[in-house]
Amino acid sequence: MASHYVVRNVSRAEPETIAALRDAGVAAVHEAAGRIGLLGPAIQARQEGAAIGGSAITVSCHPGDNLMIHAAVEMCRAGDVLVVTTTSPSTDGMFGDLLATSLMARGVVGLVTDAGVRDIATLRAMGFPVWSRAVHAQGTVKASPGSVNVPVVAAGQIVHPGDVIVADDDGVLALPIARGPAVVAAARRRLDSEAAKREKLASGTLGVDLYKLRPLLAELGVEYVDDLP
């Protein structure tokens, strides 16, 4: 039996759910989901201000080899996010402007990779957002088998094919499809609550009073004094 696969069928969340999660943002979705799904901070945004949401098309590659990324392009649909990992740590520039051009032609909204990217200035000019572990000009080969649309681990977080990927300046999050509608509702409640708190803070209310922290400070033995003894 083969040990490497390109899986064609991927379940995807409803576009409205994906858009709502994207608009809520990574931080709000992470909190609303119960602080799950966040990829580690080693994967960084390589541009400012980009915010995407889409369905994960996952790729497992041999380090230094981008063969399976090329195989994955065919599996992508409009609105997808390509999530690329390697079977051992790699910072090689496995993705650049040519692959981005191919993905954009299929309507892919961005790339998340636990490896490296290159041609970063061109990618920014193209408006194709990427989140990566590294920016590195080191090239790759096309020689080793891997898999497309299998569970992968990116920066310590498992990502399944079809997971909702939300990515912005705060990082990247992967959310199971089934959690989407409930998290949308929870994120909206959280954003409404934050808006009310922001208004109070802007009017001069202190955080220690807004969050009723004075009793906690006293319980923890924190004393207010005019001067040190």
Side-chain angles (χ1 to χ4, degrees):
M1 179 177 290
S3 58
H4 305 286
Y5 302 93
V6 175
V7 181
R8 295 188 180 92
N9 294 326
V10 176
S11 298
R12 292 169 170 84
E14 292 298 321
E16 296 80 8
T17 298
I18 294 172
L21 293 168
R22 176 200 65 210
D23 293 346
V26 170
V29 172
H30 178 54
E31 297 289 350
R35 299 188 178 184
I36 66 166
L38 197 61
L39 277 62
I43 295 181
Q44 297 278 323
R46 300 302 170 179
Q47 60 286 305
E48 292 185 0
I52 64 170
S55 298
I57 298 298
T58 61
V59 191
S60 176
C61 295
H62 191 279
D65 192 316
N66 71 357
L67 173 64
M68 298 312 298
I69 301 179
H70 287 273
V73 173
E74 186 179 9
M75 302 301 112
C76 293
R77 298 181 188 174
D80 287 343
V81 176
L82 197 65
V83 179
V84 177
T85 63
T86 53
T87 53
S88 62
S90 175
T91 56
D92 292 347
M94 298 179 62
F95 183 94
D97 67 309
L98 295 179
L99 273 166
T101 299
S102 188
L103 288 177
M104 290 178 75
R106 300 187 72 83
V108 174
V109 298
L111 170 88
V112 174
T113 178
D114 204 1
V117 298
R118 60 182 188 174
D119 306 325
I120 192 67
T122 306
L123 291 173
R124 289 171 180 158
M126 292 168 64
F128 187 82
V130 298
W131 286 256
S132 69
R133 180 173 290 272
V135 176
H136 192 25
Q138 177 65 50
T140 57
V141 299
K142 300 170 179 62
S144 306
S147 292
V148 176
N149 286 329
V150 298
V152 297
V153 175
Q157 175 63 45
I158 189 166
V159 181
H160 293 90
D163 279 357
V164 179
I165 301 297
V166 183
D168 57 25
D169 286 338
D170 285 337
V172 182
L173 181 140
L175 186 71
I177 295 171
R179 295 291 309 278
V183 173
V184 167
R188 285 173 176 162
R189 291 193 296 270
R190 182 176 183 84
L191 291 172
D192 288 344
S193 174
E194 287 182 352
K197 290 174 182 175
R198 189 174 296 107
E199 186 175 342
K200 290 181 180 179
L201 292 169
S203 72
T205 300
L206 295 174
V208 291
D209 295 318
L210 179 63
Y211 296 108
K212 297 180 173 57
L213 298 177
R214 294 188 190 278
L216 175 60
L217 289 169
E219 180 183 338
L220 294 173
V222 178
E223 295 184 49
Y224 285 76
V225 297
D226 290 329
D227 298 287
L228 288 176

